[in-house]
Amino acid sequence: DVKVTQSSRYLVKRTGEKVFLECVQDMDHENMFWYRQDPGLGLRLIYFSYDVKMKEKGDIPEGYSVSREKKERFSLILESASTNQTSMYLCASGPSDTDTQYFGPGTRLTVL
Amino acid sequence: DAKTTQPPSMDCAEGRAANLPCNHSTISGNEYVYWYRQIHSQGPQYIIHGLKNNETNEMASLIITEDRKSSTLILPHATLRDTAVYYCIVRVGDAGGTSYGKLTFGQGTILTVHP
């Protein structure tokens, strides 16, 4: 079974804090993704990576950065958290040659 | 990628087949149809995908019309655990390079399975 794990299910941070969201996959997938999901807006792609140390902006990268130092791990960083970044964050991974993606359970981040 | 249209909600009785339609009338020849679902408070889950031929796996069957303008996801014996939002996504299968995986999830169909 493909397993994608995220470091926390729930997280509460204060405005201005630096936030790290970690994602680990165990299927040796080349591609990894970070989405956020908000009511009425669906899933929106923040960043993705198709190889170690490679990253590409998704549809809403502003206010976020990412790091992929190892193939199995993809981190999302909020440099200075703001209240409008309160959301459900979903990580996914997938092989390089299809659009099959496997999602983690999500992290519900609240920024106060 | 082609746009998809799905009904906002559907109901199904437990144990019966759930047939979820998707319209993708602008699909082009190299675009695949993917289905995902999202159960409440969980991440989306891949179900099945296909290009032209009908596909079946342990979760569902995918029926694609001959002109490929629409498809139906079939859950043969729906259970209460199948209550979820179901997303139909059309994607170019050979875009290559960094285009893979940039899925766009629309609003989907909320399937409610009743006892």
Side-chain angles (χ1 to χ4, degrees):
Chain A
D1 263 1
V2 176
K3 193 142 186 176
V4 179
T5 56
Q6 296 184 227
S7 49
S8 307
R9 285 285 273 153
Y10 299 94
L11 206 54
V12 180
K13 295 292 181 181
R14 297 212 173 272
T15 302
E17 280 193 80
K18 190 168 186 175
V19 182
F20 292 87
L21 301 182
E22 301 284 331
C23 175
V24 178
Q25 51 101 358
D26 67 357
M27 282 304 292
D28 202 36
H29 286 155
E30 290 79 11
N31 294 346
M32 294 190 75
F33 311 86
W34 275 105
Y35 295 86
R36 63 178 281 179
Q37 185 170 30
D38 302 285
L41 296 176
L43 277 87
R44 294 179 291 169
L45 181 65
I46 304 172
Y47 266 98
F48 68 104
S49 168
Y50 54 92
D51 202 351
V52 175
K53 297 193 187 294
M54 305 300 287
K55 61 184 179 186
E56 291 239 350
K57 293 179 181 178
D59 299 320
I60 51 162
E62 296 79 19
Y64 304 94
S65 62
V66 289
S67 172
R68 191 162 181 205
E69 296 296 319
K70 293 186 178 180
K71 192 175 186 180
E72 67 271 17
R73 189 179 298 268
F74 192 35
S75 303
L76 181 70
I77 303 152
L78 286 66
E79 294 289 342
S80 178
S82 63
T83 54
N84 63 13
Q85 293 178 309
T86 291
S87 185
M88 169 70 86
Y89 289 88
L90 290 154
C91 174
S93 74
S96 61
D97 57 352
T98 79
D99 285 308
T100 304
Q101 292 185 28
Y102 300 90
F103 285 79
T107 295
R108 188 165 292 283
L109 172 68
T110 302
V111 183
L112 301 175
Chain B
D1 296 333
K3 181 179 163 57
T4 62
T5 304
Q6 298 177 254
S9 64
M10 293 183 65
D11 290 333
C12 178
E14 191 176 19
R16 306 295 285 259
N19 298 291
L20 293 106
C22 181
N23 196 300
H24 32 78
S25 57
T26 60
I27 195 170
S28 58
N30 61 350
E31 289 182 311
Y32 286 71
V33 180
Y34 280 78
W35 283 85
Y36 284 78
R37 74 179 182 183
Q38 187 171 21
I39 296 169
H40 183 61
S41 296
Q42 296 183 22
Q45 178 187 23
Y46 164 78
I47 302 173
I48 200 167
H49 75 281
L51 180 63
K52 295 180 185 176
N53 299 323
N54 298 336
E55 303 286 345
T56 295
N57 63 20
E58 64 280 0
M59 287 183 69
S61 295
L62 173 61
I63 308 298
I64 302 174
T65 57
E66 195 168 336
D67 63 6
R68 305 208 322 121
K69 293 183 187 299
S70 65
S71 60
T72 302
L73 179 75
I74 301 172
L75 308 178
H77 306 286
T79 70
L80 300 180
R81 286 192 298 269
D82 291 321
T83 293
V85 181
Y86 286 78
Y87 298 98
C88 170
I89 301 168
V90 173
R91 283 282 299 161
V92 174
D94 60 357
T98 62
S99 294
Y100 278 116
K102 291 171 70 174
L103 299 176
T104 300
F105 289 77
Q107 297 304 309
T109 296
I110 300 171
L111 174 68
T112 304
V113 181
H114 297 286

